[in-house]
Amino acid sequence: MFNLVVSFLLCTVLSLFLLLGRIRSISGHSAGPRACRRLGVERPQNLFHWRNIKDALSRKQERRFLDDSSTVVGVVEGLYVYPIKSCRAVEVAEAEVFSAGLKYDRKYTFAELREGPNGTESGSTDWRFVTQRKYGKLANIKLEIWEPDPDSIDYAPGEPNVQSGGVLVVRYPAPGDGISNSDSINDREVQRSFEIPFNPTEGQIRNQGYVMQKMTIWKDTPNALLITSTDRSDAPPWIKDIQAYIGCSKHFALFRVASGNDRQVFRNAPRRAELGHQSVVGFADGYPLNILGLASVADLDQRLKETAPGLTGSTALRFRANIYFKGPSAYAEDSWKRIRIGQHLYHVTCRATRCELPNTDQMTGKKHLSQPSKTIRAYRDIDEGAGPGKACFGMQMVPASEQGIIRVGDEIELLETGEHRYIPQ
């Protein structure tokens, strides 16, 4: 009798656990897109407020990375993807790496209609990408990546969100809403949101009315997938909301990289004969990956205490790198040519030249009139190829293989050093 009672109690407890698990699963599903789970770290790294290299590097690690006999020179501290160019970063603990860079990185971009010679809009197909260089408030558009979840009760191969490889949730302040001056990226309230498929299928493209259009990004004009634009009669409210919020007076659109229409990278990138493939990018500026050392950021921060003591926000995140690492001394990455991160090889192709975009606070979208760009130009005008007055900060990279993975905590092994000379566009 006792055994029967114990068995009954155990079965009851087990049933309750299963029921609670199902309730949690349903509750989790209701908070996001169907059959998906949210991608990203639960507790973001302190790069949002990161100021001191000693906070990020233990004494034991310092001794190890300063040991000349070791080829391990650093550790990955933070990984970031930017699904919509110039919008809010998404921090991840690991990321798949492809020839075009990290999965989910810079696959979408906003664009505006170009003006003709007389100042009028030049035509409905003459689109040009836009960034924080012109519209700082793009920094306040928050992004969530929701990837297919095989453990979801709604998961099925035919589920649209599964077929599209997941969903991008975009959250933005409605036009006229106030943005607080809080120094925390998590304190900002957002009022509206919409969802778009990460990689729409042919059927979704047809059903949603997406069309192929030419879109200019720098000197390239690739075919891209036009999601919607303000000049369409069926334009959804969100595209006009964002147009108004950032202060764009021209027709405004959202584009996605079209399958098979990545832009080939040459200049400082290794060639097909060396890699077995030619490096490509989607909507990244010039190279698939950007890497930046936190010791370099710490050195800049020390200088900014004198030149811009009132500068707010994380200096590190202003540079919108994909990979932040800790370990070596400031600017050690300047001479890197080839490295291994985890199990995969990367070519460090050239220095990253910097425009005025880092003057935008990534937590508020507010632009400083001159900093940190002015300070960087004063001591980092170091590459003759870049031309006079071009500051260099961080390095550009190309994956040696067409597929890999990178994780926070991966060690960085230095395989080759050498000189760099930037080749401009």
Side-chain angles (χ1 to χ4, degrees), residues 130-160:
V130 298
T131 71
Q132 290 179 29
R133 297 172 184 87
K134 186 174 183 179
Y135 300 113
K137 285 185 176 181
L138 286 170
N140 293 327
I141 298 176
K142 298 178 68 174
L143 308 173
E144 297 174 6
I145 300 169
W146 290 79
E147 62 179 2
D149 180 11
D151 294 329
S152 168
I153 59 173
D154 299 317
Y155 184 89
E159 167 63 39

Short mmCIF file of all heavy atoms in Angstrom, two decimals, residues 130-160:
data_model
loop_
_atom_site.label_atom_id
_atom_site.label_comp_id
_atom_site.label_asym_id
_atom_site.label_seq_id
_atom_site.Cartn_x
_atom_site.Cartn_y
_atom_site.Cartn_z
N VAL A 130 20.84 54.55 -46.19
CA VAL A 130 21.02 55.60 -45.18
C VAL A 130 21.59 54.97 -43.91
O VAL A 130 21.39 53.79 -43.64
CB VAL A 130 19.71 56.34 -44.86
CG1 VAL A 130 19.17 57.05 -46.09
CG2 VAL A 130 18.66 55.40 -44.28
N THR A 131 22.29 55.80 -43.15
CA THR A 131 22.91 55.34 -41.90
C THR A 131 22.80 56.42 -40.83
O THR A 131 22.26 57.51 -41.08
CB THR A 131 24.40 55.00 -42.11
OG1 THR A 131 25.13 56.23 -42.31
CG2 THR A 131 24.60 54.07 -43.30
N GLN A 132 23.39 56.14 -39.68
CA GLN A 132 23.45 57.12 -38.61
C GLN A 132 24.30 58.33 -38.97
O GLN A 132 24.23 59.35 -38.27
CB GLN A 132 24.01 56.49 -37.34
CG GLN A 132 23.11 55.49 -36.67
CD GLN A 132 23.76 54.90 -35.44
OE1 GLN A 132 24.58 55.53 -34.78
NE2 GLN A 132 23.42 53.66 -35.13
N ARG A 133 25.09 58.23 -40.02
CA ARG A 133 25.87 59.40 -40.43
C ARG A 133 24.93 60.58 -40.70
O ARG A 133 25.29 61.73 -40.47
CB ARG A 133 26.68 59.09 -41.70
CG ARG A 133 27.73 58.00 -41.52
CD ARG A 133 28.34 57.63 -42.87
NE ARG A 133 29.28 56.53 -42.77
CZ ARG A 133 28.96 55.23 -42.83
NH1 ARG A 133 27.70 54.89 -43.00
NH2 ARG A 133 29.87 54.30 -42.72
N LYS A 134 23.76 60.27 -41.20
CA LYS A 134 22.78 61.31 -41.51
C LYS A 134 21.62 61.31 -40.53
O LYS A 134 21.13 62.38 -40.16
CB LYS A 134 22.26 61.12 -42.94
CG LYS A 134 21.34 62.23 -43.42
CD LYS A 134 20.99 62.04 -44.90
CE LYS A 134 20.12 63.17 -45.42
NZ LYS A 134 19.79 63.00 -46.87
N TYR A 135 21.20 60.13 -40.12
CA TYR A 135 20.02 60.02 -39.25
C TYR A 135 20.40 59.28 -37.96
O TYR A 135 20.30 58.05 -37.86
CB TYR A 135 18.90 59.27 -39.98
CG TYR A 135 18.44 59.94 -41.25
CD1 TYR A 135 18.66 59.35 -42.50
CD2 TYR A 135 17.78 61.17 -41.22
CE1 TYR A 135 18.24 59.97 -43.67
CE2 TYR A 135 17.36 61.79 -42.39
CZ TYR A 135 17.59 61.19 -43.61
OH TYR A 135 17.17 61.80 -44.77
N GLY A 136 20.84 60.05 -36.98
CA GLY A 136 21.32 59.46 -35.73
C GLY A 136 20.25 58.67 -34.98
O GLY A 136 20.57 57.73 -34.25
N LYS A 137 18.99 59.03 -35.17
CA LYS A 137 17.92 58.35 -34.43
C LYS A 137 17.72 56.90 -34.85
O LYS A 137 16.99 56.16 -34.17
CB LYS A 137 16.60 59.12 -34.59
CG LYS A 137 16.54 60.40 -33.76
CD LYS A 137 15.16 61.04 -33.86
CE LYS A 137 15.05 62.27 -32.98
NZ LYS A 137 13.70 62.87 -33.06
N LEU A 138 18.36 56.48 -35.92
CA LEU A 138 18.30 55.05 -36.25
C LEU A 138 18.83 54.20 -35.10
O LEU A 138 18.44 53.03 -34.95
CB LEU A 138 19.12 54.77 -37.52
CG LEU A 138 18.52 55.24 -38.85
CD1 LEU A 138 19.54 55.12 -39.97
CD2 LEU A 138 17.27 54.42 -39.19
N ALA A 139 19.70 54.77 -34.29
CA ALA A 139 20.26 54.04 -33.14
C ALA A 139 19.18 53.65 -32.14
O ALA A 139 19.37 52.71 -31.35
CB ALA A 139 21.32 54.88 -32.44
N ASN A 140 18.04 54.33 -32.15
CA ASN A 140 16.96 54.04 -31.20
C ASN A 140 15.98 52.99 -31.71
O ASN A 140 14.99 52.69 -31.03
CB ASN A 140 16.20 55.33 -30.87
CG ASN A 140 17.06 56.31 -30.10
OD1 ASN A 140 17.90 55.91 -29.31
ND2 ASN A 140 16.85 57.59 -30.33
N ILE A 141 16.22 52.45 -32.88
CA ILE A 141 15.36 51.39 -33.40
C ILE A 141 15.93 50.06 -32.94
O ILE A 141 17.01 49.64 -33.35
CB ILE A 141 15.28 51.46 -34.95
CG1 ILE A 141 14.65 52.80 -35.36
CG2 ILE A 141 14.46 50.29 -35.49
CD1 ILE A 141 14.59 53.01 -36.84
N LYS A 142 15.20 49.41 -32.03
CA LYS A 142 15.68 48.19 -31.39
C LYS A 142 15.26 46.95 -32.18
O LYS A 142 14.17 46.93 -32.76
CB LYS A 142 15.14 48.09 -29.96
CG LYS A 142 15.59 49.24 -29.07
CD LYS A 142 15.01 49.13 -27.67
CE LYS A 142 15.56 47.95 -26.93
NZ LYS A 142 15.09 47.92 -25.51
N LEU A 143 16.12 45.96 -32.18
CA LEU A 143 15.89 44.76 -32.96
C LEU A 143 15.93 43.52 -32.09
O LEU A 143 16.70 43.43 -31.15
CB LEU A 143 16.96 44.64 -34.06
CG LEU A 143 17.15 45.88 -34.95
CD1 LEU A 143 18.35 45.69 -35.86
CD2 LEU A 143 15.89 46.15 -35.76
N GLU A 144 15.09 42.56 -32.44
CA GLU A 144 15.10 41.25 -31.80
C GLU A 144 15.17 40.19 -32.89
O GLU A 144 14.42 40.25 -33.87
CB GLU A 144 13.83 41.03 -30.96
CG GLU A 144 13.67 42.00 -29.80
CD GLU A 144 12.33 41.83 -29.11
OE1 GLU A 144 11.58 40.87 -29.48
OE2 GLU A 144 12.00 42.65 -28.23
N ILE A 145 16.04 39.21 -32.71
CA ILE A 145 16.14 38.09 -33.63
C ILE A 145 15.44 36.89 -33.01
O ILE A 145 15.77 36.47 -31.89
CB ILE A 145 17.61 37.73 -33.91
CG1 ILE A 145 18.34 38.92 -34.53
CG2 ILE A 145 17.70 36.51 -34.83
CD1 ILE A 145 19.85 38.74 -34.59
N TRP A 146 14.46 36.36 -33.71
CA TRP A 146 13.73 35.17 -33.25
C TRP A 146 14.01 34.05 -34.26
O TRP A 146 13.65 34.17 -35.44
CB TRP A 146 12.24 35.46 -33.16
CG TRP A 146 11.91 36.39 -32.03
CD1 TRP A 146 12.06 37.75 -32.00
CD2 TRP A 146 11.41 36.03 -30.74
NE1 TRP A 146 11.67 38.26 -30.79
CE2 TRP A 146 11.26 37.23 -29.99
CE3 TRP A 146 11.04 34.82 -30.14
CZ2 TRP A 146 10.78 37.24 -28.69
CZ3 TRP A 146 10.56 34.82 -28.85
CH2 TRP A 146 10.43 36.02 -28.13
N GLU A 147 14.69 33.01 -33.81
CA GLU A 147 15.06 31.90 -34.69
C GLU A 147 14.12 30.72 -34.48
O GLU A 147 13.53 30.56 -33.40
CB GLU A 147 16.50 31.48 -34.44
CG GLU A 147 16.76 30.98 -33.03
CD GLU A 147 18.20 30.56 -32.83
OE1 GLU A 147 19.01 30.69 -33.76
OE2 GLU A 147 18.52 30.08 -31.72
N PRO A 148 13.96 29.85 -35.48
CA PRO A 148 13.08 28.69 -35.33
C PRO A 148 13.50 27.84 -34.14
O PRO A 148 14.69 27.59 -33.92
CB PRO A 148 13.29 27.94 -36.65
CG PRO A 148 13.66 28.99 -37.63
CD PRO A 148 14.50 29.96 -36.86
N ASP A 149 12.51 27.39 -33.37
CA ASP A 149 12.75 26.62 -32.15
C ASP A 149 12.12 25.23 -32.29
O ASP A 149 10.90 25.08 -32.17
CB ASP A 149 12.12 27.35 -30.96
CG ASP A 149 12.32 26.62 -29.65
OD1 ASP A 149 13.12 25.65 -29.63
OD2 ASP A 149 11.71 27.02 -28.64
N PRO A 150 12.94 24.21 -32.54
CA PRO A 150 12.40 22.85 -32.70
C PRO A 150 11.67 22.34 -31.46
O PRO A 150 10.86 21.40 -31.56
CB PRO A 150 13.65 22.01 -32.98
CG PRO A 150 14.65 22.97 -33.51
CD PRO A 150 14.39 24.26 -32.77
N ASP A 151 11.93 22.93 -30.30
CA ASP A 151 11.25 22.50 -29.07
C ASP A 151 9.90 23.18 -28.85
O ASP A 151 9.19 22.86 -27.91
CB ASP A 151 12.15 22.77 -27.85
CG ASP A 151 13.41 21.93 -27.87
OD1 ASP A 151 13.36 20.79 -28.38
OD2 ASP A 151 14.45 22.40 -27.37
N SER A 152 9.57 24.13 -29.71
CA SER A 152 8.29 24.83 -29.58
C SER A 152 7.14 23.90 -29.95
O SER A 152 7.25 23.08 -30.87
CB SER A 152 8.27 26.07 -30.47
OG SER A 152 6.97 26.61 -30.57
N ILE A 153 6.02 24.04 -29.25
CA ILE A 153 4.85 23.21 -29.55
C ILE A 153 4.27 23.57 -30.92
O ILE A 153 3.51 22.79 -31.51
CB ILE A 153 3.77 23.36 -28.46
CG1 ILE A 153 3.33 24.82 -28.33
CG2 ILE A 153 4.27 22.83 -27.13
CD1 ILE A 153 2.16 25.01 -27.39
N ASP A 154 4.61 24.74 -31.45
CA ASP A 154 4.10 25.18 -32.75
C ASP A 154 5.04 24.84 -33.90
O ASP A 154 4.72 25.11 -35.06
CB ASP A 154 3.88 26.69 -32.74
CG ASP A 154 2.87 27.12 -31.69
OD1 ASP A 154 1.84 26.44 -31.57
OD2 ASP A 154 3.12 28.11 -30.99
N TYR A 155 6.21 24.29 -33.58
CA TYR A 155 7.22 24.06 -34.62
C TYR A 155 6.75 23.02 -35.63
O TYR A 155 6.25 21.96 -35.27
CB TYR A 155 8.53 23.61 -33.99
CG TYR A 155 9.67 23.45 -34.98
CD1 TYR A 155 10.50 24.51 -35.28
CD2 TYR A 155 9.87 22.23 -35.63
CE1 TYR A 155 11.54 24.39 -36.19
CE2 TYR A 155 10.91 22.09 -36.55
CZ TYR A 155 11.73 23.17 -36.83
OH TYR A 155 12.75 23.03 -37.74
N ALA A 156 6.93 23.34 -36.90
CA ALA A 156 6.62 22.41 -38.00
C ALA A 156 7.38 22.89 -39.22
O ALA A 156 7.55 24.10 -39.42
CB ALA A 156 5.13 22.35 -38.28
N PRO A 157 7.84 21.98 -40.06
CA PRO A 157 8.59 22.39 -41.26
C PRO A 157 7.83 23.35 -42.15
O PRO A 157 8.44 24.20 -42.81
CB PRO A 157 8.86 21.06 -41.97
CG PRO A 157 8.82 20.03 -40.89
CD PRO A 157 7.78 20.51 -39.92
N GLY A 158 6.52 23.24 -42.17
CA GLY A 158 5.72 24.12 -43.03
C GLY A 158 5.34 25.44 -42.39
O GLY A 158 4.71 26.28 -43.04
N GLU A 159 5.68 25.63 -41.12
CA GLU A 159 5.38 26.90 -40.43
C GLU A 159 6.12 28.04 -41.13
O GLU A 159 7.34 27.96 -41.35
CB GLU A 159 5.80 26.80 -38.97
CG GLU A 159 5.83 28.11 -38.21
CD GLU A 159 4.48 28.77 -38.09
OE1 GLU A 159 3.49 28.04 -37.88
OE2 GLU A 159 4.43 30.01 -38.21
N PRO A 160 5.43 29.12 -41.52
CA PRO A 160 6.09 30.22 -42.25
C PRO A 160 7.33 30.77 -41.56
O PRO A 160 8.33 31.06 -42.22
CB PRO A 160 4.99 31.28 -42.36
CG PRO A 160 3.71 30.49 -42.35
CD PRO A 160 3.97 29.34 -41.41
#
